[in-house]
Amino acid sequence: MISYFDVLIVVLATLTSGTLGYLWLRSPAVEPTQDHSSAADICYLFDDGILQHATEAADSFLALEPGFHDWSDLHKKVSDRFADFPETLETVGTGSVTFAANDGNAPKQITITWQSGLCRVRLLADTEKSKITETTEQALVQRLTTSLDFPIWHTDQNGKLLWSNEAHQKLRAAVGSANQDEQPLFGDQTPSPSGRVFLQDAESGETDWYELNHTEQDGVICHQAICINSLVQAEEAQRKFVQTLTKTFAQLSIGLAIFDRNSQLVLFNPALIDLTGLRAEFLSARPTVQTFFDKLRETRKMPEPKSYSSWRTAITEMIRAAHDGRYEETWSLDSGQTYNVKGRPHPDGATAFLIEDISAEVSLTRNFRAELELGQSMLDTLDDGIAVFSASGILTFSNSAYQDLWKVDHETSFADVTVHDAIQDWKRKCAPYLMWNEIEDFIRDFGDRKTWNTPLYLADGTQLNCIISPIVAGATLIRFDIVKNAVLSSDQINVVDANLVP
C-alpha cells in the first residue's frame, strides 16, 4: 500500500527534475556564445529523447506534451524545412550545432545544444534576429563612418551637432573652430546652387572646396562633405583654356562652330556670326547641328536644295563625313558670295565646321582666268605662230597659228613640253638647219640676252622668219612669221643652209 510519504517523495522528485531541466533550458552555460533567450523563444528540452519541457511560444509552433512525445515527433515537424535536422538525439559529450532553413519563412534557424543525455532545441524568433542584425549593422556603420577620410556629422532639425566622425573633428581643428563644439562644420555657410562651399585653413590660408550632401531620417540630418579641390581646379583650368581659345578664335576671319558628341554647339567665334548672319542669342542657346544648318538654309546662307528630304539626307551625310574629316565643299550663294566649308573631327566625338569667305579669291581667280582667255583670244587672231617658253625651257603658251603651223596640240597633253620637244617638232617640218642648238641654248640662258632672228625653211620651201625675243622673268617669246611669195626650191634651200654654217 502506497503511503503518503511515498507520494510526497515522487512529487518532490518530479518537481525537482522539472525545475532543474527548466533552469538548464534557460541557462547559457552550455552555449559558448552569448544567450539572447527571451519569452518569445521556441525551445524544447529532451532527456534521453523524451520531451521534458517546452516554452509557451513553442505551443504556437508545435504543441507537444512533456512526457508523452519524443524526438521523432519534432523531427517530423521540422525536417521538411531543416533538411540536416538529425533523426536521432545526440547523447554523448557536449556540443552545439545550428541549421538554416531552406526557405525564407520564419523561423529561419534552429540550434541544437546537448550535454550528456539532456538536449535543448531552440528555434530563433524573427524579432530577436532583427534585433541582433540591427545591432550588428549599427556597429558596422559606426565603424565605417568613423574610419572614412571625409567629414560626416549628424544634426537635429535645429542644426545642433549630435555626432561627427574623426575627419570632421580634424577639419574643425584645421579651420580654427575646434572650440565651437555645439556648432557643426559649415554651419554658417550657405551652399551655392551646385551645393559647394569652401573653407580656409587657419594656418596656411589655403582654400578648400567641398561638395555638401544631406539626408534626413527620423528627425536626424546626416551631412557629408566631399573635398573637390581637384575638380574645381580642373574646371578652372578648363574655363581658362576655353577663354584663351575664345580670345584666339575671336581674331580669326574664319567662322568656327564646334559641336560636342551630343551634336550640340559648344563653341563659336564672332566671325561665325558675321558670315552666317545668325544671332548670338540663337548660337548661345546651343542648337544641335541639324538645327544650325536648318537656320542657315532659312537665312539663305547655304545653297538652296532641290528638295527638302534630299537636303536632310545630304546634311546627315555631311555630318557623317565631317566626323571622318572628309567633308569639304564650296558654297556659291545667291548673294554672290562664295564660302569654303570644311568639317573636321575633334577629340571625344566632337565635330568642328570651318566657314571661310573666299569670294575675293574666287573673284580674283575668275578675273585672272578671264584675262588669260582674253589674251589667248587676241593672240589667236594673229597670223604669226607664237610660243612662250619659261626660264626653265617649258612651253607655257602658244596660239592657234603656232599649232596649225607645226601640227601640234599641246592643250591635250598632260606632260610638260620642253624646248627640246618643241625643236623636234620643228625639225620634222623644216628643211635641214644647223642652228637648232643655238636656239635651245638661248632659251635656257640666264645671262643678258638680246632679240635676234634667223630664217627657216619648211620642207615645201616656204620661208619663215624666226624672231627670238627675251621677255620678263627669264622667259623667251618665239615668233614664226611666214614670208609671203618667198618659196625656194630644194637646191636653193641647200645653198642657204650651206651659207648658214658658222
Side-chain angles (χ1 to χ4, degrees), residues 275-315:
L275 293 173
T276 62
L278 301 179
R279 297 175 61 86
E281 293 80 0
F282 169 76
L283 298 175
S284 299
R286 302 184 64 187
T288 63
V289 63
Q290 289 282 3
T291 305
F292 175 78
F293 284 106
D294 277 341
K295 199 69 174 179
L296 287 183
R297 174 177 171 271
E298 293 176 6
T299 57
R300 305 181 71 83
K301 288 297 183 180
M302 66 181 302
E304 182 65 24
K306 295 181 179 180
S307 65
Y308 184 77
S309 58
S310 62
W311 176 79
R312 296 291 292 184
T313 304
I315 289 298

Side-chain angles (χ1 to χ4, degrees), residues 314-389:
I315 289 298
T316 303
E317 177 59 29
M318 179 184 69
I319 296 172
R320 186 181 299 111
H323 280 300
D324 299 333
R326 297 181 288 106
Y327 180 75
E328 183 171 358
E329 276 191 3
T330 299
W331 292 355
S332 297
L333 308 182
D334 297 339
S335 61
Q337 293 176 295
T338 304
Y339 287 169
N340 178 257
V341 183
K342 298 178 182 178
R344 294 293 181 265
H346 268 232
D348 199 24
T351 307
F353 286 94
L354 296 90
I355 302 177
E356 181 181 7
D357 187 355
I358 58 173
S359 302
E361 292 84 347
V362 171
S363 178
L364 181 62
T365 303
R366 289 173 179 172
N367 292 336
F368 180 69
R369 186 180 297 113
E371 292 178 359
L372 288 178
E373 292 175 354
L374 178 61
Q376 179 75 45
S377 62
M378 291 174 58
L379 292 176
D380 285 342
T381 62
L382 300 178
D383 295 332
D384 296 344
I386 296 177
V388 177
F389 293 90

